[in-house]
Amino acid sequence: MPFRLAALILAIFCVGTAELSPSGMLDDLSADLTVSLAMAGLLVTAYALTMVVGGPLVTALTTRVRRKLLLVGLLAVFVLGNVVCALAPNFGVLLAGRVLTAVVHGTFMAVCVVTAGAMVGEGKGGAAVAATQLGINLATVLGVPMGSFLAQHYDWRAPFGIVAALATVAIALVLAWVPDTPTPTVTAAHEARVFRRPNVWGTVGATVLCSGGMFTLITYMVPLLTGVGHLPRHWVPVVLLAYGVGSIVGNLLGGRYADRGVDRAVGQLSWTLVAVCLLVWLLAPYALGGAVALVLFSLATFALIPGLQTKVLTEAADAPTLSLTANMSAFGLGAALGSWLGGLFTDSDFGTRAVPLAAAALTAGGALLVLGLRRAARRAPADPTPHAHPLAVSTAKR
């Protein structure tokens, strides 16, 4: 892995920490801001919905901007949004800061993946996705437990301030280490044509459903641990740390598996995630069993993500930035759907205990869609002009 990728990994770590940290401190946010647990969960939902709308829009408006300049500009907006969150006096201002950071999330992540692809070389699409996904894994390992610990012992505002400071460092590293590239010649209208392909829409749809299953459980895993499994709160950061370690292992395995055959990888791993969600439901009433099941959930979740990203890159190789942004928006839409559904169950008679079942149902929908796409592809006539490899396309634009 080129050492210059460290700049992108740090930046993605900051973005991932800002996205995921509220799920590790919902109880503290709810108590301090005097809002319900479900209302606090809207910090996840609003972030996700903003990604859905903002990602494609920002990407379309910045198609002709040089990638390095775009990375720096998006990170600057991200820093500003986290400063707003850190200084927020009430829930409304905090929500506004979350929206500001979410606007740039999808485009930033997509540009990072395309840039990393150009840096690692052709034939390593899954590895490039996994390398950038490592930043999210580190956010899960370090950022989310850090946020939970600081929220319990100091103030929930502290994690946002630390993220803003680290993102400022990332800007400097991007300027120093990331190679510049010429202005892309492909227009937004040209890239948008890839969405005429059913496999592209189908993959994006599968991402929505699988991501929905992931975030149904991710958003409410701490209340599940403490409220259903009766895990003492001081053990939550430890479990989140183990969860993060599982995410790193899953990411590395998933990236390699995707490079060996992305269709098979996505198909098998999506059903694996369904099974693990059911295991979480079964073991949730037991503190240790629930914690172990959530670590397995992180492994399965983060093994699937590189496959979903590589799949959309493969199906839309001639429009990597817009297609990846659309898939990021799909993750955001799934996160909004999942966090909303989890909150619905939490506030209902079913309670938090039923959240893993809702996660399994959404993920099963995604797995069935993936299965349908594979069967349709087998029945379709051979394409005489196969799509170029996504990394070949991104390298050609340099």
Side-chain angles (χ1 to χ4, degrees):
M1 181 188 301
F3 80 93
R4 294 178 297 180
L5 283 179
L8 298 180
I9 292 171
L10 175 60
I12 294 172
F13 165 79
C14 295
V15 172
T17 299
E19 178 193 10
L20 299 172
S21 57
S23 64
M25 50 188 186
L26 282 185
D27 291 331
D28 301 281
L29 285 165
S30 173
D32 188 62
L33 298 173
T34 61
V35 297
S36 69
L37 191 63
M39 180 67 74
L42 287 178
L43 293 171
V44 178
T45 306
Y47 191 103
L49 288 175
T50 304
M51 280 178 59
V52 173
V53 178
L57 180 61
V58 172
T59 298
L61 293 174
T62 58
T63 301
R64 305 300 295 274
V65 179
R66 298 174 74 93
R67 289 193 183 126
K68 184 171 182 176
L69 177 62
L70 182 57
L71 287 172
V72 171
L74 296 174
L75 272 175
V77 174
F78 173 79
V79 169
L80 177 60
N82 278 280
V83 169
V84 171
C85 291
L87 300 177
N90 54 52
F91 183 81
V93 176
L94 176 60
L95 189 62
R98 293 282 291 168
V99 169
L100 184 58
T101 57
V103 164
V104 302
H105 183 119
T107 303
F108 178 77
M109 293 292 290
V111 175
C112 279
V113 172
V114 173
T115 302
M119 292 166 70
V120 301
E122 186 176 349
K124 299 180 180 179
V129 172
T132 51
Q133 186 66 29
L134 180 60
I136 299 294
N137 298 142
L138 292 174
T140 309
V141 173
L142 302 175
V144 177
M146 175 195 72
S148 178
F149 177 84
L150 291 175
Q152 287 184 32
H153 295 89
Y154 298 99
D155 193 318
W156 57 261
R157 295 175 177 82
F160 293 107
I162 293 172
V163 163
L166 288 175
T168 303
V169 174
I171 290 175
L173 293 180
V174 168
L175 288 170
W177 289 354
V178 174
D180 202 1
T181 57
T183 302
T185 58
V186 178
T187 65
H190 173 81
E191 289 208 353
R193 293 191 188 109
V194 301
F195 294 103
R196 298 174 182 173
R197 303 170 190 164
N199 276 357
V200 175
W201 277 113
T203 303
V204 171
T207 298
V208 171
L209 292 171
C210 290
S211 174
M214 296 171 189
F215 274 87
T216 300
L217 194 44
I218 288 172
T219 305
Y220 292 96
M221 63 181 177
V222 172
L224 190 70
L225 283 169
T226 57
V228 177
H230 305 292
L231 182 77
R233 292 194 71 229
H234 63 270
W235 282 105
V236 169
V238 177
V239 175
L240 292 178
L241 180 62
Y243 177 96
V245 172
S247 76
I248 292 179
V249 176
N251 176 58
L252 294 175
L253 294 177
R256 293 177 182 176
Y257 196 23
D259 278 340
R260 294 177 181 176
V262 66
D263 289 331
R264 181 181 62 182
V266 172
Q268 293 180 354
L269 290 173
S270 57
W271 285 113
T272 300
L273 183 57
V274 173
V276 173
C277 287
L278 294 174
L279 181 65
V280 173
W281 171 78
L282 183 65
L283 297 179
Y286 311 99
L288 180 58
V292 171
L294 282 172
V295 173
L296 293 176
F297 169 77
S298 75
L299 196 153
T301 293
F302 285 90
L304 177 57
I305 290 173
L308 290 169
Q309 295 286 61
T310 305
K311 173 66 174 172
V312 79
L313 266 177
T314 302
E315 298 294 344
D318 45 336
T321 304
L322 187 57
S323 62
L324 271 177
T325 302
N327 214 42
M328 292 294 177
S329 293
F331 275 108
L333 182 58
L337 174 64
S339 59
W340 169 80
L341 185 62
L344 197 65
F345 272 78
T346 298
D347 283 351
S348 72
D349 293 336
F350 295 104
T352 308
R353 174 77 171 88
V355 164
L357 291 179
L362 280 177
T363 308
L368 287 171
L369 182 51
V370 169
L371 180 62
L373 289 173
R374 289 192 69 183
R375 289 181 174 177
R378 289 170 183 168
R379 292 194 299 265
D383 186 356
T385 57
H387 302 153
H389 191 280
L391 293 184
V393 172
S394 63
T395 304
K397 291 181 182 179
R398 294 182 66 185

